Each structure stands twice: as C-alpha cells, then as structure tokens.
Amino acid sequence: MRGGHVGFVVIFILLATAGNLSGEFAGDYSKLSGIIIPGFASTQLRAWSILDCPYSPLDFNPLDLVWLDTTKLLSAVNCWLKCMMLDPYNQTDHNECKSRPDSGLSAITELDPGYITGPLSSVWKEWIKWCIEFGIEANAIIAVPYDWRLSPSKLEERDLYFHKLKLTFETALKLRGGPSIVFAHSLGNNVFRYFLEWLKLEIAPKEYGRWLDDHIHAYFAVGAPLLGAIETVKATLSGSTFGLPVSEGTARLMFNTFGSSIWMLPFSKYCTTDNVYRRYFSGGNRKYHHAYHCDEHELKSKYSGWPTNIINIEVPSNRGNEVYPSVVETPQTNLSGKECGFPTQLSFSAREVSDGTFFKAIKNYDPDSERLFHLLKNYTMFCHLKFRSYHDDPILNPLTPWERPPLKNIFCIYGVDSKTEVGYYFAPSGKPYPDNWIITDVIYEIEGSLYSRSGNLVEGNPGATSGDETVPYHSLSWCKNWLGPKVNITRTPQSEHDGSDVQVHLNIEHQHGEDIIPNMTKLPTMKYITYYEDSESFPGTRTAVWELDKANHRNIVRSPALMRELWLEMWHDIHPDKKSNFVTKAKRGPLRDEDCYWDYGKARCAWAEHCEYRYVFGDVHLGQSCRLKSSTSHILSHYV
C-alpha cells in the first residue's frame, strides 16, 4: 500500500494519452490527449476553512496546503490532523477544519513544493517532462484529482467524481479527436475499475461497449494491487507513517478514519459476489444485499491461494474491552494488577481478512475492529449515516477478483524480484489504543521463497518470484489470467542494448488460472524486462504483461526504462506503417540527449551510431556534450 517517493506517499495513478490502432489518427500528434487520475496520497489537499492553531504561529486558511505541508505538520501536528482526519463512520469533515483536493497538473507533480521537499515529493514531474520533450501540447494533458481518503461510493455521493470523470473523457475526445490511453498506478487501477462498473449503470447496455471503444483505446495498469496489498493490514492494525515525521499510533488514528483504508485489503481469488448488472436493468431492488460466496477451491487451497496466512495474532485469554483501555481510561486502570492467562495465537487467511472474520474475532481487543467490520459487511447499521459498506456496494464489491476489463488493448506492468512483505505476526504491546499492537515478526517473499524477518526459511506457497517491495507477486501477476491461449515471451535488458542479449519463446501454451514461468536465463548483474504478449488473443482484444526486475512500487512511474517502453508503444500504435501488434524488442538505442553519455574506456561518446560529441556553451562535463546525431522522429522510425 505504501507509495510515493522516499516513503512520502502511496502512489496509485492514472494517465491517458491517445492513439488509434485502426490507423484513423495514425501518426497525427494533434490527436493525442492525456487524462491523469492520481492515486492514494498522491494529490495535494488544501484547506477549505479557517482554523486557528493555538500555541503555533501557523494557522490554516482557505487554500493553504494540507497534504503535504511538512512545515505545518512539524509545528502544528494537532491542527494538521484535524484537517486530514474524517469522521470514521460517515466520512464527513472534522467540525473545525475541512480539506478538498487541489486541481490541475500542479496538484499531482510535486506534493510539497520547495527547493528540498519538492524533489522528495515529486510524482508526475518526470513524466510531464517526457511528454513536453516529445511534443505533447499543454492542453493534451488533463489532471483529474480526487479525495483519496474517501471510499468509491462516497467519491460519487459527495463529489460526483465519476460523473466528472466521464465528462473528462468525453471532453478530451471532442478537444483532441482521439480516444485515450489510460495509465494507472497502484490504487488508481481500483479507481478505474470502479469507474468502468459505474459506467454500466449510466449508459444503455447497447451503448456501453461503443462508448468504451470511442473513448478508451488502451489501458496501462502499473503496479496494480489486483488482489489487494498486504501492507494495508499493517497500516490498519499498527500504523504506517509513509516516511512522515509522526508516530505509528498517530498514523493509525488518521488512516483508520479514511473510508479508503480498507479499499486495498487482500482478498481471495476464489470468492465473488453476485453480478447485479442485469438485475438493475430488470427492475431489481437497489437495497438488495449481495451474496458473497466462495467456490470449492477456497476450501481445498491453503491461505486462500496466497503464499501464507496474512495475519497471525496473539490474543490474551481474558476478554473484554478492559484488555486494551483507551487513552482516556488509562489513568484509572491498574494494568499491573491484572492477571492474564496464556495468550492464544489465531491465524487468518486473505478471505478471513476481507470478509470481516478477522475484525469480528478481535472486536473485544481493539476499538477499531467493530467499525472496520461494519464498513466491510453491515450496511444497515449505518444506513442513516449514508455510508455504504464495501460488500454491499451496489456498483461493485471491490474486494473481489478482477475480470479483464472490456477494453481493446491492455498492458499490465509491475516490478518483480524485490523483498516484499506477505504476512505478519502481531502481539499485544501492553500500551493503550492506538498503540495496543506490535509486530513481532514479518514474513517476506524473495527469489521464490518465504523468509521470516530473522532470516529463517518459512513453509508456504511462494510464487515464481517476489513482488515490487509493496504489493506481493500473487496480487500483481493476477493479470496474466487476461492473456490469450498462446503467448509470446521476450526477455531483454532494461538498459539500452544492441539486441545480442534478447531471448524469445514463441507460441507458449497458456492455461487460464496458471502462472507462466519462462525458462530463460538472467545475468545477476543485469536488470531485465520480461514481456508476455498475446500470440493468439481473444477476438478484438490485445493483452500484454511486462515484468521489470527490481522496479520499486513507489518509483516505477519514474523509471526511465518504463517511460521509454511506454513511449515506444504509443509511437508504434499511431504509426501507419506498423508491421506487428506490439513494438519490436530487437534493440534499444538512446531516444533523448540525456540517454547519451561519455565512454571513458573508448574516449568517445557511447552509442557512436546514434550519439556524437557536440559541445554547447554551459556544458560542465563530457557526458553533457554527448548528443543525438539525428532527430527523435528518425530514431523512432526504427521501432515500427
């Protein structure tokens, strides 16, 4: 769940820029457009009220930056929390302060602008720079920020967010003349999934597919937590600071007031809810409660198909709320006089976390658990507060497995082979809420094995490799199920290369529900990209999966290798003379002046075929004077 740069933010982002595979807009950059929808904690929030902060010279006035203003966070943390926290039940603002998302590109490029804090909180600045270098117009990139603290149903109820998003796609089509390519990072994928389901109830069934074809050409899903993220459990139970200078208890208090706090809980791939799409058009009752059910594989498999149990937690033998007193009750409680029996260790799978079994089991030991349980399952109890639970959301139960979105072209991209948390051991800390739990051990996946924090090997069901340091491989790789019956697999170095180290396996049989593991070599000193691309796809669709070695979840959107591949794929799609469904992987040369560098061993610029030494006044080292020989458009023509 963690994201952002240098731990400051959790990033789940969407971007769109358009082309047309049929060739109608081929090669015409005037048709390109972009829609950026930021993810969790990646949009600036600004104050929308006046708050006088006692004992501090820094007050909050309308339009003052709240997320992320580290100066006010350090000097007036209590006031800052009032502007950040929501009512945990109905998601309304604090009675003394309210915050709202900023608008425009400035809301997503740097969360905390400044000489030092700006680069540390940079989100989309590098991507915007790439777009400018390759000639994208200013009005072709449209940012649509949202309040990432809210649940999906509350986003629409309070802000009409999905109505605005639909209008944004339609405006982009009228403005630029072409459909969009959606680029989503992390939670942004969940937002986009909910939007597609919401759209089914806004558009006539016969028009739904046509609308998607007209407005969305392709979907790039980057770092998508398709089956949830384990770190959400840690943030919910013990707090995750995201690199901010606050205690874990404070972070937990704040995080658990957000309706989005359980949007990314891990869940079982074997459990689904009823499809209510047809029922809505047949006059069904909107107050109908979805039936949540699991198939026989859930009972036969261990850990709901995940590598291990998500939570192992010790609970004391005595029960009652007095076990973990609140902060107010602590002075009146004599903890030393209590007699506790031996603790009992309970284990919970992904299904038991997402269906509320876990929160119901610890309700006597944790004040937050009952609220979280009802946010998950019991809509009726909070009906008068207008907060709809996740499992009873009439649009979509987000805690159910993804099906392939009904879009023509999908690219699923994520990092692999990094040490990633997949399970936790919790125990009572002896402290009052919100610090009443401590993590006693962590289970990691790495290199296809499971290890504890102390380095001991752990039994379980590890995947072929590990995740991206934040989202486990099991969740990231779910999109491999979207590939067709035959797949071409290509492995290439991430850096510029001449094609000598490219490995290709063609027409590999793909069984739905099974992972695809390539029998290819890797040099330990080299980072690779492994492409899984449809050789035989389902009619009218095209699907690809890209795995980037050692690509960190927080920083993958700034990866030069990823930006290069995205740009080449977009160039390929709009080119009238393309010869294949996907861009060629034969070689990768420099595309920009920044890609050229000085080769000290040969005393010349590297990539002599593409780069030359050309000094310009102001260059301070030899590498800066290495520049491309020819134009970018000429170089791109080699990748058709």
Side-chain angles (χ1 to χ4, degrees):
M1 189 201 65
R2 189 180 51 197
H5 305 296
V6 192
F8 268 28
V9 295
V10 180
I11 300 214
F12 321 67
I13 303 165
L14 292 163
L15 170 97
T17 79
N20 188 321
L21 196 61
S22 65
E24 180 183 349
F25 318 108
D28 188 353
Y29 275 101
S30 67
K31 305 294 184 179
L32 295 176
S33 62
I35 301 172
I36 304 177
I37 308 176
F40 186 89
S42 60
T43 296
Q44 290 180 347
L45 299 179
R46 294 190 177 274
W48 204 248
S49 58
I50 300 174
L51 177 61
D52 181 19
C53 299
Y55 313 112
S56 172
L58 301 177
D59 298 329
F60 282 95
N61 295 300
L63 300 184
D64 281 357
L65 193 60
V66 177
W67 181 270
L68 183 64
D69 188 331
T70 52
T71 302
K72 289 184 177 178
L73 169 60
L74 291 170
S75 61
V77 64
N78 289 332
C79 283
W80 180 81
L81 284 173
K82 290 178 181 179
C83 293
M84 284 295 302
M85 296 172 69
L86 301 173
D87 184 281
Y89 292 101
N90 61 14
Q91 296 295 282
T92 56
D93 301 288
H94 192 279
N95 57 8
E96 295 184 45
C97 184
K98 70 167 63 175
S99 298
R100 289 295 182 268
D102 202 356
S103 60
L105 289 174
S106 60
I108 64 170
T109 50
E110 288 182 346
L111 300 183
D112 190 10
Y115 185 75
I116 296 177
T117 57
L120 294 177
S121 61
S122 175
V123 182
W124 274 106
K125 196 169 185 178
E126 286 298 317
W127 177 258
I128 300 300
K129 183 179 178 182
W130 266 73
C131 291
I132 292 172
E133 286 190 36
F134 284 97
I136 301 299
E137 295 294 331
N139 66 356
I141 306 174
I142 308 168
V144 192
Y146 65 98
D147 194 332
W148 41 266
R149 302 171 298 172
L150 300 178
S151 65
S153 60
K154 202 67 177 178
L155 277 173
E156 178 63 18
E157 178 186 324
R158 195 193 74 179
D159 298 337
L160 292 179
Y161 176 74
F162 297 108
H163 272 94
K164 295 176 182 177
L165 182 55
K166 176 177 177 287
L167 291 174
T168 301
F169 276 105
E170 294 170 345
T171 302
L173 177 62
K174 288 185 178 181
L175 179 66
R176 311 298 299 179
S180 299
I181 295 176
V182 178
F183 181 87
H185 177 257
S186 199
L187 184 62
N189 294 278
N190 300 46
V191 173
F192 183 62
R193 179 196 185 190
Y194 193 91
F195 167 71
L196 293 178
E197 294 298 319
W198 172 87
L199 197 63
K200 288 181 180 180
L201 305 183
E202 293 296 316
I203 298 178
K206 293 182 180 180
E207 298 296 323
Y208 178 68
R210 185 183 303 172
W211 191 98
L212 294 181
D213 291 344
D214 290 343
H215 295 85
I216 302 173
H217 166 63
Y219 167 37
F220 286 83
V222 179
L226 300 175
L227 297 178
I230 305 296
E231 286 196 5
T232 308
V233 177
K234 179 172 70 174
T236 300
L237 216 57
S238 64
S240 182
T241 64
F242 315 128
L244 296 174
V246 296
S247 68
E248 289 186 345
T250 300
R252 183 192 182 197
L253 278 172
M254 179 180 70
F255 181 75
N256 283 350
T257 67
F258 301 161
S260 60
S261 62
I262 52 179
W263 200 345
M264 289 182 289
L265 283 178
F267 52 86
S268 172
K269 63 183 179 181
Y270 304 121
C271 301
T272 59
T273 55
D274 294 332
N275 187 345
V276 298
Y277 179 54
R278 295 186 183 90
R279 177 176 54 78
Y280 267 79
F281 286 99
S282 61
N285 184 0
R286 285 179 176 265
K287 294 184 179 181
Y288 172 80
H289 285 244
H290 300 200
Y292 184 75
H293 53 84
C294 304
D295 63 29
E296 60 182 8
H297 294 91
E298 174 63 25
L299 300 177
K300 294 179 180 179
S301 67
K302 287 186 176 181
Y303 320 124
S304 296
W306 286 73
T308 184
N309 282 321
I310 306 301
I311 299 177
N312 303 276
I313 189 167
E314 290 184 4
V315 295
S317 60
N318 61 326
R319 296 181 176 270
N321 291 331
E322 73 278 7
V323 176
Y324 297 114
S326 67
V327 176
V328 178
E329 295 168 339
T330 302
Q332 288 81 32
T333 305
N334 183 6
L335 294 178
S336 61
K338 288 190 177 291
E339 297 182 1
C340 295
F342 292 105
T344 302
Q345 181 168 293
L346 305 176
S347 297
F348 298 91
S349 65
R351 174 186 60 81
E352 293 168 325
V353 171
S354 62
D355 70 5
T357 300
F358 165 67
F359 298 110
K360 188 175 182 180
I362 65 167
K363 67 178 182 179
N364 292 319
Y365 312 114
D366 193 279
D368 266 345
S369 60
E370 187 171 0
R371 179 188 67 85
L372 293 169
F373 173 76
H374 286 289
L375 293 184
L376 278 171
K377 298 208 69 172
N378 196 338
Y379 169 65
T380 56
M381 192 168 178
F382 299 106
C383 185
H384 64 288
L385 294 174
K386 297 182 180 180
F387 192 93
R388 200 176 295 274
S389 70
Y390 277 77
H391 284 292
D392 289 321
D393 191 304
I395 306 298
L396 169 73
N397 179 356
L399 304 177
T400 52
W402 285 51
E403 296 180 358
R404 186 190 186 279
L407 304 171
K408 290 180 180 178
N409 307 295
I410 294 180
F411 295 79
C412 185
I413 306 166
Y414 52 87
V416 295
D417 207 24
S418 295
K419 187 178 180 180
T420 307
E421 298 174 357
V422 295
Y424 301 101
Y425 283 80
F426 288 94
S429 66
K431 298 179 181 179
Y433 173 85
D435 299 307
N436 51 306
W437 301 108
I438 59 171
I439 298 176
T440 58
D441 204 354
V442 180
I443 301 175
Y444 299 94
E445 62 176 6
I446 183 170
E447 298 178 353
S449 300
L450 301 178
Y451 292 91
S452 67
R453 187 162 53 184
S454 58
N456 296 323
L457 189 64
V458 177
E459 292 185 1
N461 299 319
T465 183
S466 51
D468 62 4
E469 201 171 315
T470 298
V471 182
Y473 174 77
H474 174 82
S475 182
L476 294 166
S477 62
W478 175 252
C479 56
K480 285 185 178 179
N481 289 296
W482 304 345
L483 292 165
K486 290 187 178 180
V487 178
N488 293 336
I489 305 177
T490 308
R491 178 168 287 170
T492 70
Q494 290 186 25
S495 58
E496 287 81 7
H497 60 87
D498 59 7
S500 60
D501 193 20
V502 174
Q503 305 170 66
V504 181
H505 289 173
L506 301 177
N507 296 319
I508 303 299
E509 296 286 342
H510 171 228
Q511 298 295 327
H512 181 78
E514 295 183 5
D515 196 3
I516 307 176
I517 305 173
N519 185 19
M520 296 177 174
T521 60
K522 284 186 179 182
L523 296 175
T525 57
M526 186 79 70
K527 294 180 181 179
Y528 293 89
I529 303 179
T530 305
Y531 306 85
Y532 306 81
E533 299 170 334
D534 277 345
S535 171
E536 179 182 321
S537 60
F538 298 105
T541 66
R542 182 179 62 145
T543 308
V545 176
W546 301 352
E547 293 182 346
L548 282 70
D549 290 347
K550 304 296 183 182
N552 181 273
H553 183 83
R554 301 188 302 272
N555 299 320
I556 189 173
V557 292
R558 297 195 304 175
S559 167
L562 174 59
M563 288 190 282
R564 178 195 68 205
E565 294 304 312
L566 288 172
W567 189 260
L568 289 177
E569 196 63 55
M570 286 188 290
W571 169 267
H572 172 272
D573 274 11
I574 67 171
H575 204 284
D577 300 324
K578 56 182 174 291
K579 302 177 180 66
S580 62
N581 285 336
F582 300 97
V583 68
T584 177
K585 315 298 187 302
K587 65 177 181 179
R588 287 292 183 267
L591 295 179
R592 306 179 301 161
D593 289 340
E594 286 83 350
D595 299 330
C596 297
Y597 59 92
W598 185 259
D599 187 336
Y600 286 91
K602 297 180 179 180
R604 68 180 187 187
C605 292
W607 290 93
E609 178 185 354
H610 301 286
C611 302
E612 64 181 0
Y613 182 84
R614 192 164 72 247
Y615 175 80
V616 174
F617 180 76
D619 292 345
V620 295
H621 57 79
L622 293 171
Q624 270 188 305
S625 299
C626 290
R627 292 179 167 85
L628 293 175
K629 288 182 179 180
S630 54
S631 66
T632 299
S633 60
H634 174 73
I635 296 173
L636 287 172
S637 65
H638 296 293
Y639 297 102
V640 178

